[in-house]
PDB file of all heavy atoms in Angstrom:
ATOM      1  N   ILE A 176     -54.151 123.904  81.442  1.00 97.00           N
ATOM      2  CA  ILE A 176     -53.960 123.259  82.675  1.00 97.00           C
ATOM      3  C   ILE A 176     -53.525 124.199  83.822  1.00 97.00           C
ATOM      4  O   ILE A 176     -54.001 124.030  84.945  1.00 97.00           O
ATOM      5  CB  ILE A 176     -52.788 122.199  82.563  1.00 97.00           C
ATOM      6  CG1 ILE A 176     -53.187 121.145  81.475  1.00 97.00           C
ATOM      7  CG2 ILE A 176     -52.542 121.470  83.885  1.00 97.00           C
ATOM      8  CD1 ILE A 176     -54.570 120.454  81.679  1.00 97.00           C
ATOM      9  N   ALA A 177     -52.837 125.279  83.506  1.00 97.00           N
ATOM     10  CA  ALA A 177     -52.500 126.208  84.554  1.00 97.00           C
ATOM     11  C   ALA A 177     -53.713 126.865  85.264  1.00 97.00           C
ATOM     12  O   ALA A 177     -53.733 126.840  86.474  1.00 97.00           O
ATOM     13  CB  ALA A 177     -51.524 127.308  84.035  1.00 97.00           C
ATOM     14  N   PRO A 178     -54.653 127.416  84.532  1.00 97.00           N
ATOM     15  CA  PRO A 178     -55.854 127.927  85.203  1.00 97.00           C
ATOM     16  C   PRO A 178     -56.658 126.867  85.885  1.00 97.00           C
ATOM     17  O   PRO A 178     -57.334 127.098  86.876  1.00 97.00           O
ATOM     18  CB  PRO A 178     -56.650 128.593  84.064  1.00 97.00           C
ATOM     19  CG  PRO A 178     -56.092 128.116  82.782  1.00 97.00           C
ATOM     20  CD  PRO A 178     -54.705 127.775  83.061  1.00 97.00           C
ATOM     21  N   HIS A 179     -56.680 125.613  85.304  1.00 98.00           N
ATOM     22  CA  HIS A 179     -57.361 124.496  85.929  1.00 98.00           C
ATOM     23  C   HIS A 179     -56.796 124.269  87.368  1.00 98.00           C
ATOM     24  O   HIS A 179     -57.531 124.227  88.348  1.00 98.00           O
ATOM     25  CB  HIS A 179     -57.204 123.260  85.096  1.00 98.00           C
ATOM     26  CG  HIS A 179     -57.631 121.966  85.721  1.00 98.00           C
ATOM     27  ND1 HIS A 179     -58.901 121.606  85.908  1.00 98.00           N
ATOM     28  CD2 HIS A 179     -56.839 121.003  86.326  1.00 98.00           C
ATOM     29  CE1 HIS A 179     -58.992 120.409  86.501  1.00 98.00           C
ATOM     30  NE2 HIS A 179     -57.737 120.041  86.749  1.00 98.00           N
ATOM     31  N   GLU A 180     -55.486 124.188  87.439  1.00 97.00           N
ATOM     32  CA  GLU A 180     -54.861 123.914  88.705  1.00 97.00           C
ATOM     33  C   GLU A 180     -54.973 125.034  89.677  1.00 97.00           C
ATOM     34  O   GLU A 180     -55.242 124.801  90.885  1.00 97.00           O
ATOM     35  CB  GLU A 180     -53.429 123.507  88.461  1.00 97.00           C
ATOM     36  CG  GLU A 180     -53.239 122.152  87.740  1.00 97.00           C
ATOM     37  CD  GLU A 180     -51.764 121.816  87.409  1.00 97.00           C
ATOM     38  OE1 GLU A 180     -50.935 122.721  87.551  1.00 97.00           O
ATOM     39  OE2 GLU A 180     -51.481 120.619  87.116  1.00 97.00           O
ATOM     40  N   ALA A 181     -54.774 126.227  89.186  1.00 97.00           N
ATOM     41  CA  ALA A 181     -54.885 127.444  90.055  1.00 97.00           C
ATOM     42  C   ALA A 181     -56.281 127.569  90.685  1.00 97.00           C
ATOM     43  O   ALA A 181     -56.417 127.913  91.878  1.00 97.00           O
ATOM     44  CB  ALA A 181     -54.490 128.667  89.279  1.00 97.00           C
ATOM     45  N   ASN A 182     -57.265 127.324  89.905  1.00 98.00           N
ATOM     46  CA  ASN A 182     -58.638 127.534  90.323  1.00 98.00           C
ATOM     47  C   ASN A 182     -59.091 126.423  91.236  1.00 98.00           C
ATOM     48  O   ASN A 182     -59.856 126.651  92.136  1.00 98.00           O
ATOM     49  CB  ASN A 182     -59.627 127.733  89.159  1.00 98.00           C
ATOM     50  CG  ASN A 182     -59.528 129.160  88.609  1.00 98.00           C
ATOM     51  OD1 ASN A 182     -60.260 130.033  89.148  1.00 98.00           O
ATOM     52  ND2 ASN A 182     -58.684 129.396  87.652  1.00 98.00           N
ATOM     53  N   LEU A 183     -58.583 125.190  90.967  1.00 98.00           N
ATOM     54  CA  LEU A 183     -58.899 124.079  91.906  1.00 98.00           C
ATOM     55  C   LEU A 183     -58.289 124.442  93.301  1.00 98.00           C
ATOM     56  O   LEU A 183     -58.981 124.270  94.322  1.00 98.00           O
ATOM     57  CB  LEU A 183     -58.322 122.811  91.422  1.00 98.00           C
ATOM     58  CG  LEU A 183     -59.133 121.922  90.468  1.00 98.00           C
ATOM     59  CD1 LEU A 183     -58.352 120.674  90.117  1.00 98.00           C
ATOM     60  CD2 LEU A 183     -60.509 121.609  91.052  1.00 98.00           C
ATOM     61  N   PHE A 184     -57.093 124.935  93.278  1.00 97.00           N
ATOM     62  CA  PHE A 184     -56.460 125.307  94.557  1.00 97.00           C
ATOM     63  C   PHE A 184     -57.279 126.343  95.267  1.00 97.00           C
ATOM     64  O   PHE A 184     -57.584 126.294  96.483  1.00 97.00           O
ATOM     65  CB  PHE A 184     -55.035 125.756  94.324  1.00 97.00           C
ATOM     66  CG  PHE A 184     -54.436 126.361  95.534  1.00 97.00           C
ATOM     67  CD1 PHE A 184     -53.804 125.536  96.472  1.00 97.00           C
ATOM     68  CD2 PHE A 184     -54.343 127.735  95.767  1.00 97.00           C
ATOM     69  CE1 PHE A 184     -53.219 126.089  97.619  1.00 97.00           C
ATOM     70  CE2 PHE A 184     -53.801 128.239  96.931  1.00 97.00           C
ATOM     71  CZ  PHE A 184     -53.252 127.414  97.855  1.00 97.00           C
ATOM     72  N   ASP A 185     -57.656 127.399  94.516  1.00 97.00           N
ATOM     73  CA  ASP A 185     -58.351 128.511  95.165  1.00 97.00           C
ATOM     74  C   ASP A 185     -59.735 128.098  95.637  1.00 97.00           C
ATOM     75  O   ASP A 185     -60.119 128.464  96.773  1.00 97.00           O
ATOM     76  CB  ASP A 185     -58.475 129.715  94.188  1.00 97.00           C
ATOM     77  CG  ASP A 185     -58.843 130.970  94.886  1.00 97.00           C
ATOM     78  OD1 ASP A 185     -58.059 131.411  95.753  1.00 97.00           O
ATOM     79  OD2 ASP A 185     -59.909 131.539  94.599  1.00 97.00           O
ATOM     80  N   MET A 186     -60.448 127.360  94.859  1.00 98.00           N
ATOM     81  CA  MET A 186     -61.786 126.856  95.297  1.00 98.00           C
ATOM     82  C   MET A 186     -61.642 125.985  96.558  1.00 98.00           C
ATOM     83  O   MET A 186     -62.450 126.082  97.471  1.00 98.00           O
ATOM     84  CB  MET A 186     -62.502 126.166  94.202  1.00 98.00           C
ATOM     85  CG  MET A 186     -63.011 126.982  93.044  1.00 98.00           C
ATOM     86  SD  MET A 186     -64.028 126.149  91.840  1.00 98.00           S
ATOM     87  CE  MET A 186     -62.754 125.127  91.006  1.00 98.00           C
ATOM     88  N   GLY A 187     -60.633 125.184  96.611  1.00 98.00           N
ATOM     89  CA  GLY A 187     -60.413 124.292  97.764  1.00 98.00           C
ATOM     90  C   GLY A 187     -60.093 125.064  99.000  1.00 98.00           C
ATOM     91  O   GLY A 187     -60.384 124.634 100.111  1.00 98.00           O
ATOM     92  N   GLN A 188     -59.451 126.197  98.833  1.00 97.00           N
ATOM     93  CA  GLN A 188     -59.097 127.025 100.034  1.00 97.00           C
ATOM     94  C   GLN A 188     -60.282 127.822 100.517  1.00 97.00           C
ATOM     95  O   GLN A 188     -60.402 128.043 101.717  1.00 97.00           O
ATOM     96  CB  GLN A 188     -57.959 128.030  99.638  1.00 97.00           C
ATOM     97  CG  GLN A 188     -56.634 127.360  99.273  1.00 97.00           C
ATOM     98  CD  GLN A 188     -56.050 126.663 100.507  1.00 97.00           C
ATOM     99  OE1 GLN A 188     -56.098 127.136 101.608  1.00 97.00           O
ATOM    100  NE2 GLN A 188     -55.421 125.536 100.235  1.00 97.00           N
ATOM    101  N   LYS A 189     -61.236 128.222  99.595  1.00 97.00           N
ATOM    102  CA  LYS A 189     -62.235 129.219 100.012  1.00 97.00           C
ATOM    103  C   LYS A 189     -63.695 128.755  99.902  1.00 97.00           C
ATOM    104  O   LYS A 189     -64.544 129.171 100.761  1.00 97.00           O
ATOM    105  CB  LYS A 189     -62.114 130.469  99.166  1.00 97.00           C
ATOM    106  CG  LYS A 189     -60.763 131.130  99.246  1.00 97.00           C
ATOM    107  CD  LYS A 189     -60.645 132.283  98.259  1.00 97.00           C
ATOM    108  CE  LYS A 189     -59.351 132.897  98.267  1.00 97.00           C
ATOM    109  NZ  LYS A 189     -59.199 134.007  97.179  1.00 97.00           N
TER     110      LYS A 189
END
Side-chain angles (χ1 to χ4, degrees):
I176 301 304
H179 168 77
E180 293 177 344
N182 281 274
L183 275 182
F184 173 82
D185 195 61
M186 287 187 288
Q188 294 296 322
K189 300 174 184 175

